[in-house]
Amino acid sequence: MSELLKKKKNSFLACPEDAQAAYDYCEGYKAFLDKSKIERFCVEEAVRIAEGAGFVAFEYGKEYVPGDKIYYVQHGRAVIFAIIGSQPMTDGFNITAAHVDCPRLDLKQVPLYEDSGIALMKTHYYGGVRKYQWVTIPLALCGTVCKRSGETIRIDIGNDPSDPVFYISDLLPHLAKDQKEIGGEDLNIIVGSKPDADSEDQSCKTAVLKLLNEKYGIVEEDFETADLSLVPAGNARDIGLDRSLIAAYGHDDRICAYPELTALLELKGIPKKTCVAVFADREEVGSMGISGMRSAYVPDFLKELCGDKNARQAFANSCALSADVNAAFDPNYPSVYEKRNSALLNHGVAVSKYTGSRGKGGCSEAPAELLAKLFKIFDDNGVRYQTAELGKVDQGGGGTVSQFLADHNILVVDIGVAMLSMHAPYEAAGKIDIYHMHKACVAFYENY
Ligand code: MN
Ligand code: MN
């Protein structure tokens, strides 16, 4: 019989035997983060890891058999991994779905200009950013330039310690009396200040273009055909004397994507159900777009596996974890949280029955039957979890990809790692929670 009273317990106290495993696991996670600053790089790195474990690229029309490990890349910016299970696919898929895009500053189409002896580039922020957090920090430029010739050029400047970085200035406090907030058009990055003496206009802009041309072979019009983003430069670091937390750019949501993949790699033998891990793009802007969860590529991939005529039955019997981060209670800002129903750091993966805002608007709520079955699986497999609601009612709210899975008649529940400073250039999360996200995915794949 269950205890009459339910007590919250810190995972370090509840399962001290997992502490070292969590610290070891997070070394791999940090290395993954450092190579995954943008969704394209994240997809590349995840595919590299999966190929090392025997995954091969999906082929249309091919018959897959139990035990086959495949991946499907969507335009270089999203990826689906799958291991074919031993049971018929009409029994349903066990799906985990995270996203690998993060808030950032994208370069505009015509970015480069010069003003007052400084070469700058215009940006357009992507996703929910608090703009003041992005000034006066080192930024890296990452992405792809597609030349009209068909050549593509990978750009990654600022992440290697020997690289230069980019920078957005801010007012000095002495002159900031009237500054209310930083505007979107204020987020202009400094890219140079040394004029080109040999050029006709002797400008810094020409000097920057010459450097880009020498190193990457690109010219100004190539910015029109590029996906380039500014992201915080530098690597993930441990926080605290006990090294129990990790500070990093892009925890949201690689902190759930990485465990989805490591859990797939850890499955022993052939799983009963076909297990699927989705790394989606575009979640931070509402999941629309060719690589977002509103696109048909995820259900279409599943239909390719189970066959069109079986799809309705397969989807109806499927279950998905919408794997995304949650907000941990922050003692610096208690007023926006309802403490009893907020996730606490290091207290297990955060499961949200519902997300949304106001009267649960814009969310897909998980039915009680699903939660009871999932929590039983977690209890039986030593997975630490806690229920969580993101902040106070009417304080704000948020959404995930869960509703877009529910649209296909797939049962879905929100689960993820609770963190501090979500969407900041440097977010913070607990190592033992990250490890239990991995354990949660393993338990789900094997037992749901
Ligand atoms: Mn997220
Ligand atoms: Mn987010």
Side-chain angles (χ1 to χ4, degrees):
M1 188 194 132
S2 299
E3 298 288 329
L4 187 60
L5 292 175
K6 171 128 188 176
K7 272 203 198 126
K8 284 205 169 200
K9 197 161 185 189
N10 188 298
S11 298
F12 284 110
L13 301 175
C15 48
E17 66 281 7
D18 278 356
Q20 192 55 49
Y23 279 47
D24 293 345
Y25 176 82
C26 284
E27 291 305 303
Y29 172 54
K30 285 187 287 179
F32 178 79
L33 280 177
D34 294 343
K35 294 199 169 97
S36 304
K37 289 295 187 79
I38 56 169
E39 68 277 354
R40 282 178 189 271
F41 293 178
C42 186
V43 168
E44 283 173 17
E45 179 62 9
V47 166
R48 189 190 67 78
I49 292 169
E51 284 183 338
F55 281 72
V56 297
F58 165 80
E59 291 172 47
Y60 282 100
K62 189 163 174 194
E63 288 284 326
Y64 289 102
V65 298
D68 281 352
K69 300 173 181 177
I70 51 178
Y71 67 86
Y72 169 85
V73 175
Q74 176 77 344
H75 293 281
R77 319 165 73 122
V79 59
I80 310 170
F81 300 98
I83 300 180
I84 309 300
S86 56
Q87 290 179 201
M89 291 196 202
T90 44
D91 288 355
F93 300 100
N94 284 348
I95 302 163
T96 60
H99 68 91
V100 293
D101 61 315
C102 303
R104 60 181 189 239
L105 309 178
D106 289 340
L107 277 196
K108 288 194 184 188
Q109 302 262 274
V110 183
L112 183 60
Y113 67 102
E114 178 167 341
D115 194 341
S116 315
I118 303 174
L120 300 119
M121 288 193 191
K122 299 293 298 179
T123 68
H124 194 140
Y125 67 93
Y126 170 95
V129 303
R130 307 192 71 196
K131 299 181 194 83
Y132 73 89
Q133 295 176 335
W134 292 75
V135 299
T136 71
I137 62 168
L139 296 168
L141 182 65
C142 300
T144 301
V145 177
C146 297
K147 305 259 304 172
R148 285 157 173 81
S149 63
E151 186 191 357
T152 62
I153 299 147
R154 191 182 196 271
I155 307 281
D156 183 6
I157 308 168
N159 284 311
D160 189 282
S162 66
D163 284 350
V165 295
F166 304 95
Y167 182 86
I168 300 169
S169 64
D170 193 11
L171 271 179
L172 59 169
H174 317 64
L175 297 177
K177 182 168 65 75
D178 298 329
Q179 187 184 35
K180 293 277 187 300
E181 59 182 297
I182 292 166
E185 296 294 352
D186 298 334
L187 299 174
N188 306 313
I189 59 161
I190 296 178
V191 294
S193 65
K194 186 179 167 196
D196 179 49
D198 301 331
S199 70
E200 202 176 315
D201 63 359
Q202 296 201 317
S203 74
C204 299
K205 176 179 169 176
T206 301
V208 165
L209 282 170
K210 269 194 178 174
L211 287 168
L212 284 171
N213 190 262
E214 280 163 20
K215 183 120 197 241
Y216 302 101
I218 58 178
V219 296
E220 190 171 14
E221 75 168 6
D222 291 328
F223 285 115
E224 295 170 0
T225 53
D227 292 335
L228 290 169
S229 304
L230 276 305
V231 295
N235 289 344
R237 301 286 295 269
D238 291 343
I239 301 176
L241 295 171
D242 57 9
R243 297 180 172 268
S244 58
L245 309 170
I246 298 172
Y249 168 66
H251 277 313
D252 176 9
D253 186 28
R254 289 131 196 181
I255 206 167
C256 296
Y258 181 73
E260 286 183 4
L261 178 59
T262 57
L264 267 192
L265 302 189
E266 197 181 297
L267 298 183
K268 288 171 197 75
I270 297 171
K272 294 198 285 285
K273 301 264 189 81
T274 293
C275 297
V276 180
V278 180
F279 287 22
D281 183 26
R282 313 280 305 162
E283 193 277 341
E284 296 294 358
V285 292
S287 294
M288 50 277 282
I290 191 71
S291 44
M293 283 296 279
R294 292 189 186 193
S295 159
Y297 70 96
V298 174
D300 281 357
F301 172 81
L302 299 176
K303 286 176 196 168
E304 286 295 321
L305 297 185
C306 68
D308 274 323
K309 74 173 170 32
N310 299 320
R312 280 191 293 266
Q313 189 182 358
F315 287 14
N317 287 328
S318 293
C319 185
L321 303 183
S322 172
D324 205 345
V325 297
N326 213 306
F329 181 83
D330 186 341
N332 276 341
Y333 303 98
S335 68
V336 300
Y337 297 90
E338 193 266 284
K339 202 166 186 177
R340 281 177 198 80
N341 283 286
S342 291
L344 296 176
L345 277 185
N346 299 328
H347 279 63
V349 294
V351 181
S352 286
K353 189 174 189 301
Y354 45 83
T355 58
S357 51
R358 301 175 307 281
K360 302 186 179 181
C363 85
S364 77
E365 182 155 353
E369 293 88 342
L370 160 55
L371 292 170
K373 183 171 175 184
L374 188 68
F375 290 169
K376 174 74 165 74
I377 290 169
F378 287 171
D379 287 338
D380 291 347
N381 289 277
V383 176
R384 298 277 306 155
Y385 63 93
Q386 56 185 327
T387 59
E389 191 163 329
L390 193 145
K392 273 184 178 168
V393 176
D394 286 341
Q395 184 70 43
T400 65
V401 301
S402 53
Q403 56 185 307
F404 309 116
L405 289 154
D407 284 348
H408 298 286
N409 194 24
I410 293 171
L411 263 179
V412 61
V413 59
D414 280 285
I415 176 173
V417 178
M419 63 193 306
L420 300 176
S421 314
M422 192 193 298
H423 286 204
Y426 227 33
E427 303 169 318
K431 289 183 179 177
I432 199 152
D433 290 336
I434 301 167
Y435 180 58
H436 275 263
M437 187 66 202
H438 163 84
K439 288 182 70 165
C441 290
V442 173
F444 169 74
Y445 288 144
E446 287 182 337
N447 300 289
Y448 196 91

